[in-house]
Structures are given as structure tokens and as C-alpha cells.
Amino acid sequence: MQVQSYLFFDGRCEEALEFYQAALGAEVTALMRYKDAPPQPEPAAQQGCGPGQMDPEKIMHANMQIGETQIMASDGMNGGKPEFKGFSLSITAPNENEAHRIFAAIGEGGQVQMPLGETFFARSFGMVTDRFGVGWMVIVPLLDIG
């Protein structure tokens, strides 16, 4: 069994994918725009849930690979104000230098929740919310938990 994260960027998915490519070296492995979907049956279209209700250039579904992890993403309903509450994505860096690079890159335009530094449980740990509102924890564990 596998559990994967699916992030809805509420109209900012393409911008987010480009950001993660630059900041984390993410590789976009799949991308489908609303215009690529087949027409919806009439009942779905009447309820406002078909691709015809969305900007055809917005992203219906994307998949990105960051290291060994896949994260799925979408523009969702395109309202422009994504909200990510109640969770954070955690990224394990191989060393302190890389942790600082990652923390600075994903924190650009975001907000630091806890500065990156040594803790009783990690050589380096910090929390930051990126410019899209996604919470990240960056850690270099005390022990190799590989």
C-alpha cells in the first residue's frame, strides 16, 4: 500500500510546479490540462463539475517526482487562494549544507515558522511555509534512518 500527497493549488499549479522544479529539482512526470479531457456527460456538465467549467489551460492533474517521492497536484477549482492546513511535507536532507539550501529555496517568498537549526532530535531541523501556503519541515536526522 502507498499513500501519496495530492495538492490543490487553486489556480496556481503551473506556477507551483515551476517553483518546485527550481527549488527542489522536481521533475514533472505527468501533466494534463482541462482542455485535454474528453467532454463530460450532460448531468456532470450541468452540475459544474466538468472540464468545460474550468479554464482550459489550467492543470487538471500533474505528477512530480522529488527525489524518491511522487506528489500529485492540480489547479482544483481555480479560485486563486489555496489553503493547506493540518499537515506539512517533510524533506530529509543528506547534510546541513543541503538542508540550508533547500530551506532557503522553498522559503523564498514564504514564511519561516521555525528557523533551521540543531535540535535534540536532529542535526538540523526547521519549518517553513512556502509562497503557496504549503508547510515544509526540513530535517537532517541525528542518525541515518535511511
Side-chain angles (χ1 to χ4, degrees):
M1 181 183 330
Q2 186 179 53
V3 177
Q4 292 179 281
S5 298
Y6 204 119
L7 306 176
F8 293 90
F9 288 97
D10 213 13
R12 298 181 67 194
C13 188
E14 191 152 12
E15 180 186 352
L17 293 174
E18 291 170 0
F19 175 76
Y20 297 131
Q21 285 175 311
L24 299 173
E27 178 187 354
V28 176
T29 59
L31 192 141
M32 180 187 301
R33 297 185 186 279
Y34 282 102
K35 69 181 181 183
D36 300 327
Q40 293 292 304
E42 194 58 34
Q46 289 173 350
Q47 295 172 10
C49 25
Q53 306 299 316
M54 303 295 179
D55 177 340
E57 294 300 322
K58 292 295 184 179
I59 296 173
M60 176 188 288
H61 172 76
N63 191 77
M64 66 179 151
Q65 183 88 24
I66 301 173
E68 298 173 23
T69 303
Q70 293 187 40
I71 297 175
M72 295 177 281
S74 173
D75 272 312
M77 298 302 287
N78 297 314
K81 293 186 177 187
E83 289 189 72
F84 299 97
K85 296 179 179 182
F87 76 96
S88 289
L89 300 177
S90 181
I91 188 164
T92 302
N95 57 56
E96 287 87 342
N97 287 340
E98 186 66 0
H100 283 280
R101 186 199 68 75
I102 291 168
F103 194 82
I106 60 178
E108 185 179 323
Q111 183 174 8
V112 172
Q113 306 301 316
M114 178 182 173
L116 192 63
E118 188 175 349
T119 69
F120 71 93
F121 60 86
R123 292 193 323 237
S124 201
F125 178 80
M127 298 170 64
V128 62
T129 301
D130 70 24
R131 66 178 69 172
F132 303 99
V134 177
W136 291 85
M137 298 183 295
V138 178
I139 187 169
V140 179
L142 285 175
L143 304 172
D144 183 14
I145 57 173

